[in-house]
Amino acid sequence: MKFLAITLIFHTPHPLTGEQKPTTARLREVVDNAVLAEELGFDGFGVGERHERPFISSSPPVVLSHIAALTSRIRLFTAVTTLSLLDPVRAFEDYSTLDHLSGGRLELMIGKGNGAAQAQLFHVTGEDQWDRNREGYELFRRLWREDKVTWSGRFRPSLDNAETWPRPLQQPIRVWHGSATSKESVDLAAQYGDPLFSANVTNPIEPYAELIQYYRERWEFYGHDPADALVGAGSAGYYAAKNSQEAIDTYRPLFNARLAMFRKLGLDPVFHSLEDAIERSSILVGSPQQIIDKVHRYHERFGHEVMHLQADADGLTDDQHRTSLELFQSDIAPVLRREIPSRPFPPAETVPTGR
C-alpha cells in the first residue's frame, strides 16, 4: 500500500483555543508539512482546491510549485482539480508547467468540486456541473496528449488547430478521479481507464464501497482488464499513540470541539461520538495494531492500494502531530506495505533545485 498526506487548507480557528493563524503562517505550515511528509517517507502530498470559506486552497498549482522546489522525491497530487469550474486550457498550462518544475512528480486528481458559493462565483449550476466536468476533462486530456487540438464544446470558445505550451514532461500523465457520492465521476474514470480515488470521509463505509464496486463493473463494461483497475481511498482523521487509551484521550477534545461546531451551525453530525466514529467511520485513532486492522477491514471492501491521511495537525500540537506521523511510518506503514501490495508510482526525473 502507498500513502499520501493531503490537505484542503482549512483556515479556521483552533478547535480548543479559538485562535486563528494568519494566512501567511497557515500557507507556510502547509509547505512545512509537505517537506515533513517527504522526510518521513510518505509517497505523495496532495493539495485540494476550494474557492470559498473556510478554505484558502484556491490556487493548488502555486502551492504545489513551492513544495516542488523544496522537495525531490514525493509525488505531488491535486485533491481535487475542479475542472467543472476552470478553463481546461488554462488548467493545462498551469499543470504542464508544474509537471516540468517538479521533475514529472505531478499526479492529477480531478472532480467537479463542492460548495454553493464557489459554484456561484464561477456561474456553475447544479444542472450543468457534471457536464462541465466531463467536457473539461475530455478537452484537458486531449491538450495533454496532442500538440495541436481542434475542438468545440458548450462551455468555452472552440479551438482550431490550437497549440498549447509548454508541452508536458509526462506523456501521458496519470489522472485520478475523485469521487464522493456520485456515479458520474465513477463512470468517467471507468470509461477512460483511469484510477478512482474515493473520498471515504463523511459517511460510513457502505456508500463508498457501492461506488467502488460500480467503478469495477463499469471498468469491465468499457472493456478494460479487471486486473488494471486502481483504487485509492481517504480517511476521516488520524492520530496514533502507543496504546489505544492514550490516543483516544488526546483526540477526544478535538473531536468533541468539531461536534460542537457542527451543532452550532445547525448540522447533525453523522457520527455522534468519538467511539461511534472509530467504529463506523474511516477515522484512524488508536494503537498501531488497531489502525492496521481497520485499514485491512476497509481494504476487504475497497481493494484499494493507496490511502491518504490528513496532512494537517488539526488541533494537535506540533510535537503530537509529528510523533503520530513518525509512529505511522515506523509501526503502521511497513506492515501495510508488506501485507497489501501496490503498483509502483511513476519514477521522478532529477531536476536541479537551485539550492
Side-chain angles (χ1 to χ4, degrees):
M1 181 166 270
K2 290 190 165 41
F3 303 101
L4 319 179
I6 285 182
T7 177
L8 301 181
I9 319 186
F10 282 94
H11 192 220
T12 56
H14 189 283
L16 300 181
T17 69
E19 296 179 2
Q20 183 163 319
K21 294 182 178 181
T23 298
T24 301
R26 179 69 181 100
L27 289 171
R28 292 190 181 278
E29 181 180 56
V30 169
V31 174
D32 291 343
N33 283 336
V35 173
L36 175 63
E38 176 166 274
E39 175 190 335
L40 295 180
F42 281 84
D43 300 286
F45 189 89
V47 174
E49 180 179 329
R50 298 291 189 278
H51 298 271
E52 61 184 349
R53 293 180 181 179
F55 309 96
I56 51 172
S57 53
S58 58
S59 188
V62 176
V63 178
L64 288 171
S65 291
H66 192 64
I67 292 169
L70 299 175
T71 59
S72 60
R73 177 195 59 79
I74 199 166
R75 302 291 294 180
L76 304 177
F77 282 72
T78 63
V80 299
T81 297
T82 53
L83 281 180
S84 64
L85 308 179
L86 306 178
D87 180 346
V89 174
R90 184 64 186 145
F92 163 80
E93 293 173 335
D94 285 343
Y95 286 114
S96 179
T97 301
L98 175 54
D99 193 36
H100 284 278
L101 292 174
S102 67
R105 290 185 282 142
L106 178 62
E107 299 254 348
L108 286 166
M109 194 185 300
I110 70 158
K112 72 168 181 62
N114 295 304
Q118 64 182 17
Q120 184 178 13
L121 184 65
F122 289 90
H123 295 275
V124 174
T125 69
E127 289 71 34
D128 68 19
Q129 60 184 352
W130 284 113
D131 290 337
R132 287 177 179 272
N133 185 65
R134 175 179 288 276
E135 180 179 291
Y137 177 56
E138 289 172 347
L139 176 54
F140 185 95
R141 182 182 175 89
R142 288 191 59 191
L143 292 168
W144 200 279
R145 287 165 169 76
E146 302 173 28
D147 292 337
K148 296 182 179 182
V149 173
T150 297
W151 173 90
S152 62
R154 290 175 55 195
F155 301 110
R156 78 165 318 278
S158 61
L159 301 175
D160 183 15
N161 210 31
E163 295 181 290
T164 47
W165 298 96
R167 300 307 302 153
L169 178 59
Q170 295 182 82
Q171 192 58 267
I173 194 170
R174 182 163 64 182
V175 178
W176 301 72
H177 294 247
S179 166
T181 59
S182 175
K183 290 184 175 181
E184 282 87 347
S185 57
V186 170
D187 190 81
L188 187 64
Q191 177 183 346
Y192 284 102
D194 294 331
L196 180 74
F197 211 103
S198 172
N200 191 38
V201 169
T202 306
N203 297 302
I205 193 171
E206 285 75 18
Y208 302 116
E210 290 172 5
L211 278 176
I212 290 171
Q213 179 59 35
Y214 180 73
Y215 167 69
R216 296 186 188 279
E217 292 169 0
R218 298 302 290 174
W219 181 276
E220 292 192 55
F221 172 83
Y222 286 114
H224 305 301
D225 185 341
D228 293 336
L230 177 59
V231 174
S235 60
Y238 164 74
Y239 182 70
K242 285 296 185 179
N243 65 75
S244 175
Q245 197 58 53
E246 179 186 348
I248 290 172
D249 288 346
T250 300
Y251 201 79
R252 187 186 302 281
L254 305 175
F255 186 88
N256 288 344
R258 283 200 295 275
L259 289 184
M261 179 190 68
F262 289 149
R263 291 174 177 134
K264 184 177 180 180
L265 294 173
L267 303 174
D268 183 24
V270 176
F271 310 104
H272 292 86
S273 69
L274 179 55
E275 284 76 10
D276 183 32
I278 291 172
E279 176 66 25
R280 297 194 302 122
S281 85
S282 63
I283 196 169
L284 301 173
V285 174
S287 68
Q289 190 59 54
Q290 287 174 311
I291 290 173
I292 290 167
D293 292 344
K294 188 166 188 178
V295 172
H296 270 289
R297 291 200 302 272
Y298 271 77
H299 177 71
E300 288 172 4
R301 299 289 301 276
F302 293 170
H304 59 308
E305 300 178 23
V306 182
M307 66 169 288
H308 83 57
L309 301 181
Q310 186 168 308
D312 301 313
D314 195 28
L316 298 167
T317 68
D318 290 343
D319 286 345
Q320 288 170 333
H321 180 52
R322 182 182 182 108
T323 298
S324 182
L325 291 179
E326 289 175 340
L327 187 60
F328 183 87
Q329 290 295 352
S330 64
D331 289 26
I332 300 171
V335 177
L336 293 173
R337 290 185 192 278
R338 182 175 65 251
E339 295 179 350
I340 302 177
S342 58
R343 281 159 273 194
F345 282 173
E349 297 194 10
T350 301
V351 174
T353 63
R355 290 181 288 165

